Amino acid sequence: FPSHDIHLGPILFLLANLYACHQIWTFSIFHTLDGPAHLYNAKLLHSLLFQHSSELESIFQLNSILVPNWIGHGLLLFFNFFTSPEKATALVLSLCIVGLCLSFRGLVVTITPQNAFLSWLILPFAQNNLVYMGFYNFNLGLALLFIFLIVLIRFYRSPNPSIGYFLAFLSLFFLLYLSHLMVLLLAIGFALAYPLFQFCIKNQTFKPNSKAFLLLAGAAIPSLLLTAIFFKNATPSQQIIFVDPSTLKKWLKELAPLNIYIPEMEEKYNMKIGYFFFGLFLISIYQKLNFLFKGSPRSFSSYFNRDDFWLLSALGFLFLLFKLPDSDGNAGFVSSRLILLLLLLPVVMQ
């Protein structure tokens, strides 16, 4: 993070993140929906890779291709070498929470350094329902997505990007692929849309050049090839499930990502948090409309500044929320994932 941000504020923020993990370590076993299945798979991987059990090898075999959703299993496999399965699970869950909070703070500080205090708004979402579902890979991937956006912004603000950016993008694209395809596709979408938006508004800090494009495109190629191979070998899904618009509006109103145990009891509290976040969203829109309609007429591109990209991205997620299926048989809870992103993006540009 920027050097000027290293003082008491970040230390307190880190302590708050660690406190958000205390519940995970309070109990000997922290139950999540998919967590036991991930742990079971990690133990199977350990047996197949290091114990070479003929009995297991007659039943299970490793994929011949590198598939997504491996990063959670890989971390569990690694932690199991020196700690118990219960603590390995707690470590992965802690990474999900702390990684999300710290990467979001880094994104806020990168975009609007003067508003670093707004990064505290991530704390209500630290233990979202996707964590309790045991979606380790998506939660880790979301943290990686925010880190990718930090690197992307700094890359395009740099007057002379170095080869170090190529290595950073290459690593991040690969890690995003290993975490979750949705976050990889979002990263690719941001990588295409961010420079295009900056170019269209003729921002003076943005200097498009072929070197920058080739560097970013070259870093994405291996992960794109892996994605193409994965889809070529994947079994097509026949179970496309859409959620009706009235239910989606209800989920937005009650802040579905925060409904964890008993939605009927939790939603009245979550709605209060939701009103606050949607208030920020409306403030952002009001500020933009106020800017658009004041002053003398001018060129279309001059009505926008570089940080409007995040407001437009949030509106894009709102559009996708009502257009994409909630499940395609292979990936589910798409709506909760989109609502989470929709709520967080307006914060970074306040």
Side-chain angles (χ1 to χ4, degrees), residues 79-96:
F79 290 140
N80 268 306
F81 275 112
F82 54 85
T83 189
S84 67
E86 295 83 6
K87 290 183 179 178
T89 300
L91 283 169
V92 172
L93 284 166
S94 299
L95 276 177
C96 290

Side-chain angles (χ1 to χ4, degrees), residues 139-201:
N139 282 282
L140 293 167
L142 191 57
L144 288 169
L145 176 64
F146 289 149
I147 294 171
F148 174 85
L149 291 176
I150 294 169
V151 176
L152 184 71
I153 295 167
R154 292 180 177 179
F155 171 67
Y156 278 113
R157 289 181 182 177
S158 174
N160 187 28
S162 66
I163 193 64
Y165 279 105
F166 174 80
L167 298 175
F169 283 128
L170 186 69
S171 302
L172 284 168
F173 277 127
F174 182 65
L175 289 172
L176 286 164
Y177 173 81
L178 289 181
S179 59
H180 199 277
L181 275 183
M182 181 177 178
V183 289
L184 172 65
L185 295 175
L186 288 175
I188 292 171
F190 279 121
L192 293 172
Y194 182 76
L196 179 63
F197 177 80
Q198 303 295 334
F199 177 74
C200 289
I201 66 172

Side-chain angles (χ1 to χ4, degrees), residues 156-291:
Y156 278 113
R157 289 181 182 177
S158 174
N160 187 28
S162 66
I163 193 64
Y165 279 105
F166 174 80
L167 298 175
F169 283 128
L170 186 69
S171 302
L172 284 168
F173 277 127
F174 182 65
L175 289 172
L176 286 164
Y177 173 81
L178 289 181
S179 59
H180 199 277
L181 275 183
M182 181 177 178
V183 289
L184 172 65
L185 295 175
L186 288 175
I188 292 171
F190 279 121
L192 293 172
Y194 182 76
L196 179 63
F197 177 80
Q198 303 295 334
F199 177 74
C200 289
I201 66 172
K202 300 177 181 178
N203 191 293
Q204 296 302 312
T205 62
F206 177 73
K207 298 178 176 61
N209 58 73
S210 57
K211 176 185 175 182
F213 174 78
L214 290 174
L215 188 150
L216 189 56
I221 287 174
S223 295
L224 289 173
L225 289 174
L226 287 171
T227 303
I229 293 170
F230 170 75
F231 278 117
K232 181 181 178 182
N233 289 273
T235 302
S237 173
Q238 303 297 326
Q239 297 179 330
I240 307 297
I241 301 174
F242 285 88
V243 176
D244 64 273
S246 61
T247 301
L248 289 174
K249 292 175 185 177
K250 181 177 182 294
W251 287 354
L252 276 170
K253 183 180 179 181
E254 68 187 31
L255 237 61
L258 294 186
N259 288 336
I260 296 171
Y261 289 118
I262 308 174
E264 293 77 11
M265 295 179 59
E266 297 169 334
E267 61 185 27
K268 62 181 179 180
Y269 301 104
N270 295 341
M271 284 172 62
K272 295 177 181 179
I273 301 174
Y275 289 144
F276 176 77
F277 273 83
F278 283 114
L280 288 179
F281 190 58
L282 291 175
I283 289 172
S284 299
I285 293 177
Y286 170 78
Q287 290 175 333
K288 176 46 56 180
L289 291 176
N290 187 50
F291 174 75

Side-chain angles (χ1 to χ4, degrees), residues 23 38 55 59 79-80 160 231 310 344:
Q23 186 178 359
H38 289 308
E55 184 177 356
I59 304 172
F79 290 140
N80 268 306
N160 187 28
F231 278 117
W310 309 107
L344 294 179

